[in-house]
Amino acid sequence: MEFLVLFSVVAPLLLAFAVFFLGRNHTHRLNALTVSVCFLELAAAVVMFVVSCSGSFQKVALSDVCGFGLTFEAGGFRSLYVLVTAFSWFISAVFTTDYMKNGENRARYAFFLLLTLSGTVGVFLSADLYTTFVFFEIMSFASYPWVAHEETDEAQQAATTYLVIAVISGLTALGGGARWRCAGNSGTTGCSCKCTYFRGTQRNAAGRGNLPFHRIRRQSRLLPSAYLAPESTRRRTRTRFCTSLRYFNQGWSLWHSGTLLQRYGW
Amino acid sequence: MNSYLLILPIFLPIALGALSKFIRFRTRRAREIFLMIPVCITSVLVWVLILNRPEGTFTLFKFTQNLAISLRLDDFGSFFAALIATLWPFASLYAFEYISPEKRQDAFLALYTMTYGVTLGVAFASSFLSMYFFYELLTIITVPLVMFTMTEEAKYAARKYMYFSLGGTAFAFIGLIFIIVYGSSDIFQLGGVLNPSDIGNARLLQIVYIFTFCGFGVKAAIFPVHSWLPEAAVAPTPVTALLHAVAVVKSGVFGIARITYFSFGAAFLRGTWAQYVALAIVLFTILYGSSVAVRERHFKRRLAWSTVANLSYILFGILLLSPAGLTSGMMHMLFHAFMKITLFYCAGAVLYQSGREYLSELDGLGRRMPVVFVCYTISALALTGIPPLSGFYSKFALGSAGVSDGGIWGAIGAGVLLISALLTAIYAIYPAIRAFFPQKSATLPSKDIRDPNAYMLIPILLTCMATVLFGVFSQGIYNALYPIASSIVGGGV
């Protein structure tokens, strides 16, 4: 099970390079490799989910790696979302073979498809804030080329806005995470927790288009543009939602911003 | 090991570099081999000395009973020497190819190799006077490298560099005098050399510290004595990679660390207005350098402004006067060297292959030079501080150290780092975006433009790989540096 957890996170990341180099001059090979990698991921996710259904929760810790160490845990909610993600990615990969048959830069698209898959799975399997942050950033930056994929002026503008929001929200989450870490070290909670939670949820709110970030996204026409990039933004939005819930059990920030958006609708 | 061996890594590149100017080589390859051998031997020798550290001090030259040019290898010097020794062979390999179309490449490569020995002299210096000596020598030997192309721009940049550097060392000289008068000696010692009973007027010494800080701060490009650095971007790229990543600017930072911890002492400075003034200067420099970098449209000058900001990141960590602060400063010194040298190598490769210097000319170059721009992108993301790349952890460590150890100034510093990170994302990633996602209206570059050959590509790939690996193993590096920093901050107690 430990192997499965690490495989789910690392395999798409490493195989993305192989897919890119082996498939960049051969469309059929590219499609076959991309679909195969996604299928492997789906298979791993299914096995993980089945094992998790028996109630077993597997934790994998890679200490002293990437700074504070990375910790993953498979089981329950996490395995379910990895299964959903892997399934979505597999379907998208199959869909893309025909959808983009006349498209350009397909190898680039496939590369970042797999990289974003790795980031997304890493977010769902992460067992601590730091690991979540690391893979959230990987996911955010790996999905940038999707937004800019068409390379039209509209896509470029949307991608620029996306990047700025991703960086700002990443720094916000980082500030909260650092505060959390410092508070954890000093033993204080209370205000630090709320501060961290607020920053964390606002970071994810940025990705979802919640207040007050929705207007920026609307103005940048990010959502419509990003919807042209197949499936990517919707999956990321779902990921951000789930990640928000994981900061704390309470959802008061989400509830408030969602309620305001519903009520006033601007 | 005998301390006499300390002179070898300094003497070898200086002697053979100078000798190479007078030998008539039949082929370019013969010159390259002749110069690469002492560079590689020196690097190996440095690592051997670091791992089998010689005891005691080697005296090169005595002025008086108490004043001498002497060499010694301690933990902090080992750290700096290891960094230089690791990067110089790559820099030389890159320089061989880059400078090959130029005339007078014999003079360039000779001076380039000699600079290696002089920089090691700064690392091995055991006293303020010794470091001052090699510091001045570094200025003298690098001025001709800056003006190498002999354009009006290059001559102006070289003059400015020289005037700023010599002016800075004049300020540093004030510090040297006061340290000799008020301290037990000018030899670097853990905890500083000031005699508490002799200090008397502490405020005067704090003023002198600020003078000395600004003196060495010229090479560390602190505001307002920073402007020589972007001007020096006119120099050939191997020189700017040296100046902006390895030798000169890191020598400035190294010098400030030496005077802070080994001459004046952390205990003397901690909590004083001198510490706060120095912190204020570096925090302003971070914001200023990052802001100007965003505006800058010239590719190499943009990276130079980035260096102005990042050197102050390192100084921020050093000036926190805490183990965590110094450790994070040293980490960023190491990581920044590799990140920035990769970025400059990439900019140099673009200039070399396509002649393009400005950001507006980069459209679509990522398609023609994919290896160069992938490495550029990775290093730019690392510089921005995106995990799991190296820059994230060093910046996080700096911010954490600021919040936990720096009081109000540390907290302000953490905020400044966050703002600077945003600006870094804008200025560092933008060239990659232009290269890989050109606007539809842009004309793609000619298909004749491609990635450079192995001489330039190998250094780029290796330093880029190091950037990634440092990120993965950052905790191990932090754990290795922390005891060194603790010992330095604690004054050897």
Side-chain angles (χ1 to χ4, degrees), chain A residues 11-260:
Chain A
L13 184 72
L14 295 177
L15 291 173
F17 292 92
V19 167
F20 179 82
F21 285 112
L22 292 173
R24 60 184 169 157
N25 294 322
H26 300 90
T27 308
H28 293 305
R29 193 191 298 171
L30 179 73
N31 292 336
L33 286 170
T34 309
V35 171
S36 303
V37 172
C38 291
F39 180 75
L40 274 174
E41 185 72 13
L42 177 61
V46 166
V47 172
M48 224 173 1
F49 180 71
V50 167
V51 172
S52 303
C53 283
S54 65
S56 109
F57 286 72
Q58 186 69 42
K59 205 163 191 171
V60 180
L62 301 174
S63 56
D64 292 346
V65 169
C66 297
F68 302 116
L70 302 174
T71 314
F72 304 99
E73 187 174 354
F77 176 74
R78 292 184 173 90
S79 301
L80 174 64
Y81 258 91
V82 170
L83 179 63
V84 170
T85 300
F87 179 72
S88 305
W89 245 263
F90 174 68
I91 294 298
S92 293
V94 172
F95 179 78
T96 305
T97 56
D98 201 49
Y99 181 84
M100 293 184 73
K101 69 178 175 193
N102 296 320
E104 294 177 355
N105 301 309
R106 299 188 61 176
R108 183 179 74 191
Y109 178 82
F111 177 79
F112 286 104
L113 178 95
L114 296 175
L115 218 59
T116 312
L117 171 61
S118 175
T120 311
V121 169
V123 168
F124 286 133
L125 290 178
S126 60
D128 61 31
L129 265 180
Y130 177 70
T131 309
T132 306
F133 175 75
V134 169
F135 283 91
F136 211 101
E137 292 294 281
I138 292 173
M139 186 186 72
S140 296
F141 282 87
S143 53
Y144 169 87
W146 280 353
V147 183
H149 183 79
E150 299 293 332
E151 296 180 12
T152 59
D153 289 342
E154 194 181 49
Q156 298 275 18
Q157 186 188 356
T160 304
T161 310
Y162 173 78
L163 189 64
V164 170
I165 292 175
V167 170
I168 291 173
S169 53
L171 291 172
T172 312
L174 180 62
R179 188 81 175 91
W180 169 249
R181 193 171 170 79
C182 291
N185 286 340
S186 65
T188 58
T189 52
C191 183
S192 307
C193 291
K194 285 183 187 166
C195 188
T196 307
Y197 168 65
F198 179 76
R199 284 188 188 139
T201 50
Q202 290 311 303
R203 190 265 192 267
N204 291 291
R208 290 192 311 278
N210 273 24
L211 285 170
F213 303 100
H214 70 293
R215 298 195 73 181
I216 301 169
R217 291 187 68 167
R218 192 183 68 188
Q219 283 159 10
S220 72
R221 292 168 293 165
L222 173 61
L223 277 170
S225 302
Y227 265 91
L228 291 174
E231 297 300 313
S232 58
T233 305
R234 279 170 287 196
R235 274 200 292 275
R236 285 201 316 282
T237 305
R238 199 165 47 236
T239 307
R240 288 191 162 99
F241 175 77
C242 295
T243 309
S244 299
L245 289 179
R246 295 184 48 207
Y247 273 94
F248 278 99
N249 290 329
Q250 302 151 17
W252 63 268
S253 173
L254 299 170
W255 182 83
H256 276 300
S257 59
T259 305
L260 282 169

Side-chain angles (χ1 to χ4, degrees), chain B residues 169-475:
Chain B
T169 44
F171 275 80
F173 190 71
I174 298 172
L176 172 62
I177 299 301
F178 275 80
I179 286 292
I180 291 169
V181 169
Y182 285 92
S184 50
S185 75
D186 73 323
I187 303 278
F188 291 132
Q189 287 176 23
L190 287 171
V193 299
L194 295 176
N195 286 325
S197 53
D198 290 347
I199 288 175
N201 189 350
R203 183 177 289 262
L204 176 62
L205 276 173
Q206 287 156 10
I207 293 172
V208 169
Y209 172 76
I210 294 296
F211 278 163
T212 320
F213 172 81
C214 292
F216 284 107
V218 169
K219 280 204 170 50
I222 59 169
F223 184 89
V225 289
H226 62 282
S227 59
W228 67 270
L229 192 55
E231 304 273 4
V234 73
T237 302
V239 177
T240 48
L242 258 190
L243 290 178
H244 296 159
V246 182
V248 172
V249 295
K250 295 294 191 295
S251 297
V253 168
F254 182 78
I256 289 175
R258 276 292 198 200
I259 59 142
T260 303
Y261 289 100
F262 295 85
S263 292
F264 287 84
F268 174 74
L269 292 167
R270 192 178 290 118
T272 63
W273 66 269
Q275 181 193 14
Y276 301 147
V277 165
L279 275 169
I281 291 173
V282 302
L283 291 179
F284 183 80
T285 307
I286 290 171
L287 282 178
Y288 180 75
S290 305
S291 307
V292 179
V294 171
R295 271 193 358 232
E296 180 60 59
R297 311 311 285 175
H298 189 274
F299 199 3
K300 279 171 62 180
R301 271 205 296 274
R302 179 173 271 215
L303 298 176
W305 281 107
S306 164
T307 303
V308 170
N310 276 271
L311 290 170
S312 285
Y313 277 47
I314 303 167
L315 289 175
F316 172 67
I318 289 170
L319 290 168
L320 289 174
L321 302 179
S322 69
L326 181 58
T327 307
S328 51
M330 288 166 73
M331 269 187 84
H332 198 66
M333 192 166 157
L334 172 66
F335 294 168
H336 174 257
F338 279 83
M339 291 187 288
K340 194 47 65 68
I341 208 170
T342 310
L343 292 171
F344 269 109
Y345 282 166
C346 293
V350 168
L351 184 61
Y352 182 75
Q353 294 292 101
S354 68
R356 296 173 183 220
E357 297 180 67
Y358 289 88
L359 299 179
S360 56
E361 299 170 329
L362 298 183
D363 284 314
L365 268 181
R367 312 263 170 103
R368 304 287 181 252
M369 303 174 70
V371 178
V372 165
F373 275 98
V374 165
C375 291
Y376 177 89
T377 306
I378 291 171
S379 299
L381 290 173
L383 192 70
T384 304
I386 305 300
L389 300 168
S390 55
F392 168 73
Y393 194 66
S394 61
K395 290 186 174 188
F396 189 93
L398 282 167
S400 299
V403 169
S404 58
D405 301 336
I408 185 69
W409 283 103
I412 293 171
V416 165
L417 291 180
L418 279 177
I419 296 169
S420 176
L422 172 62
L423 295 172
T424 306
I426 296 170
Y427 70 66
I429 297 174
Y430 180 74
I433 293 172
R434 293 283 305 238
F436 284 117
F437 300 100
Q439 296 179 353
K440 283 285 188 206
S441 52
T443 312
L444 287 185
S446 154
K447 289 189 178 171
D448 296 336
I449 299 172
R450 55 174 77 99
D451 282 315
N453 63 17
Y455 274 83
M456 294 173 82
L457 220 46
I458 288 172
I460 291 173
L461 284 168
L462 288 175
T463 51
C464 181
M465 255 166 42
T467 300
V468 176
L469 289 172
F470 283 154
V472 174
F473 299 109
S474 49
Q475 186 64 42

Side-chain angles (χ1 to χ4, degrees), chain B residues 52-64:
Chain B
N52 301 280
R53 201 174 300 169
E55 295 294 329
T57 306
F58 174 75
T59 304
L60 210 58
F61 180 78
K62 262 190 176 175
F63 291 101
T64 69

